[in-house]
Amino acid sequence: PPVFINAAGIDVLRDDSRQLVERLRAAGVPVEFVEQAGVIHGYTLLAHEVSAAREAIETAGHALRMSLG
């Protein structure tokens, strides 16, 4: 199945996300990867305060709806 990965630009785990994307694509898995610059790990928990978080949640929801048909 297709994979959606959202990574924070200021996150010690960001490079892990990039590596996972590379490996999935190398294995032929369709991947949508979004890296949000200027935000920290867990920023989506701040959706009431951070517009980038709201946008990320909307983007993830759209990816889910598309994969479910």
Side-chain angles (χ1 to χ4, degrees), residues 27-42:
V29 177
V31 179
E32 181 179 349
F33 177 58
V34 177
E35 184 175 319
Q36 184 67 43
V39 297
I40 60 171
H41 180 86

Side-chain angles (χ1 to χ4, degrees), residues 4-49:
F4 175 82
I5 297 175
N6 181 21
I10 304 172
D11 188 344
V12 296
L13 300 175
R14 182 198 60 204
D15 291 343
D16 291 343
S17 296
R18 290 176 177 174
Q19 289 176 358
L20 178 59
V21 168
E22 289 176 16
R23 290 178 181 175
L24 287 168
R25 286 181 176 155
V29 177
V31 179
E32 181 179 349
F33 177 58
V34 177
E35 184 175 319
Q36 184 67 43
V39 297
I40 60 171
H41 180 86
Y43 77 103
T44 54
L45 298 173
L46 304 171
H48 287 86
E49 293 85 19

Side-chain angles (χ1 to χ4, degrees), residues 44-66:
T44 54
L45 298 173
L46 304 171
H48 287 86
E49 293 85 19
V50 180
S51 63
R54 290 188 295 278
E55 293 170 14
I57 291 169
E58 289 175 12
T59 301
H62 176 54
L64 179 60
R65 285 189 299 278
M66 295 305 292

